[in-house]
Structure formats: structure tokens, C-alpha cells
Amino acid sequence: MPPISKDDILRRAAHVEAWACRHWNLDDLEHSTRTPVLRPGGPADRAAISVPSVESVARRRAEALRSEAITPEERAPDGRMLAFDPSQSLSDGAAAAESAGFFDDDNTPPWDCWLVFVEEAPRLSDRWSAFDSYLLCWIPARLVEMVQGAVEVNPEECLRWADQLRTPFLDQLRRSGVPLALTTE
């Protein structure tokens, strides 16, 4: 499990929310949610998603917010956490089509919304299990319905709402009081 605190997760979700309000264009989600300044080092495809790449995105987003004098609100952000298992993706493009390009053809969420990459201890020692490692993202409330459509057309279920998924790390977040879904709309 990543060494990340409840406060860090909530701070990162608030950063995504603040960044989205300032930079995302709902008429061009494919391009506006992949801000070049936040791009992870190296390739940005699903195979390159790792702890270092996600940490670099979170660090760059925090630095960019500071440089733009954007202060995230002090309240918990409205939205929902989404988990993406890159090793489970069939790369069929259905989520991309359903979400107007918010997801790419590999079902990868845009890096602007990345929170943390989780590497769990494998549940089964003799074979791979779904969500043994996964990317957690924050989806702002105004995009939850659209993302829900993408989750529904994803046959391999590599995209799952965190509040509907049981993993040791997500259970730890629940116990520490981190809201995996929080909307006031």
C-alpha cells in the first residue's frame, strides 16, 4: 500500500477539483484533461502508469496550482473516486467513445485527475487478480454521470467506482474516514 495519508488523499482530490475548475473545458475533455504541464515523465500510456509517474503528476499539479495562485477550497471536494486497473484493460475504446475522449482508447483516465497508484499484496499467490494494483482518480461531481456511462460500457470492468470496490487500501481509507464518494449536487 502506498505511504499516503488521509489528508494527502483529500488534498489531492481538492487539487484535482481546483485544477478542473480552472483548466478543463467540458466541450473538449479529450484535450483539456491532459494538461501538458502535468504530463507524467515518459510515455503516458497505461503500461507506464506507476507510483513514480502518478507521484510526479500530483507534485506537478500542486506546484502549478501554487504558481497560478489557486488555493483549493478547505472543504472536501464533490465527486467520486474511480479505480482503474491497467492490466485488466482490453483497450477496446468503448469508454473513450462513451466519454467524449475523457478516457483514452486503453480506458486510461486522463492524468489531470490521478491521485495515487496503489500496489496491493497479491490476494492469490499463484495467479494475478483484478485490482492487485490500480490507479485511483478523482472525478469531479459534474463529470460523475458521464463517467458512469463509460464504466457501464466497460466489459472487462477495469474501471470501477472505489466505493463499490473492496481492496485492503480502500478499506483502510474507509476506516480513516476518507469519503470515496461525496457529492452535494
Side-chain angles (χ1 to χ4, degrees), residues 29-30 34 91-108 146 149-151 153-154 159:
L29 289 172
E30 181 177 1
R34 291 169 180 82
S91 302
D92 61 3
E98 186 67 25
S99 67
F102 182 77
F103 295 96
D104 69 14
D105 287 338
D106 289 329
N107 299 313
T108 306
M146 182 267 307
V151 169
V153 301
N154 184 250
L159 297 168

Side-chain angles (χ1 to χ4, degrees), residues 121-139:
R123 285 170 264 167
L124 302 171
S125 61
D126 61 337
R127 64 185 165 106
W128 167 86
S129 298
F131 292 92
D132 278 345
S133 62
Y134 52 93
L135 173 68
L136 270 182
C137 302
W138 184 256
I139 306 300

Side-chain angles (χ1 to χ4, degrees), residues 1 5 30 65 77-78 81 88 120 124 127 141 154 162:
M1 289 184 252
S5 71
E30 181 177 1
L65 287 168
D78 289 340
M81 261 188 231
Q88 197 176 353
E120 304 274 14
L124 302 171
R127 64 185 165 106
N154 184 250

Side-chain angles (χ1 to χ4, degrees), residues 36-176:
V37 71
L38 302 185
R39 183 183 176 89
D45 60 13
R46 70 183 170 121
I49 297 172
S50 64
V51 171
S53 66
V54 177
E55 291 302 307
S56 76
V57 168
R59 186 185 70 256
R60 290 175 188 182
R61 185 175 47 235
E63 290 168 357
L65 287 168
R66 274 192 302 277
S67 73
E68 294 181 18
I70 299 171
T71 305
E73 293 190 32
E74 291 296 320
R75 63 169 180 76
D78 289 340
R80 203 166 175 191
M81 261 188 231
L82 180 78
F84 168 62
D85 182 343
S87 63
Q88 197 176 353
S89 178
L90 296 176
S91 302
D92 61 3
E98 186 67 25
S99 67
F102 182 77
F103 295 96
D104 69 14
D105 287 338
D106 289 329
N107 299 313
T108 306
W111 57 75
D112 283 19
C113 67
W114 295 1
L115 295 176
V116 64
F117 188 74
V118 180
E119 295 176 307
E120 304 274 14
R123 285 170 264 167
L124 302 171
S125 61
D126 61 337
R127 64 185 165 106
W128 167 86
S129 298
F131 292 92
D132 278 345
S133 62
Y134 52 93
L135 173 68
L136 270 182
C137 302
W138 184 256
I139 306 300
R142 67 182 184 266
L143 296 181
V144 166
E145 186 176 326
M146 182 267 307
V147 169
Q148 175 62 36
V151 169
E152 289 172 2
V153 301
N154 184 250
E156 69 271 37
E157 296 185 351
C158 68
L159 297 168
R160 301 271 308 273
W161 292 114
D163 58 312
Q164 297 175 353
L165 186 61
R166 301 303 298 215
T167 71
F169 180 71
L170 292 174
D171 289 345
Q172 176 186 346
L173 289 181
R174 286 179 181 93
R175 285 190 303 275
S176 68

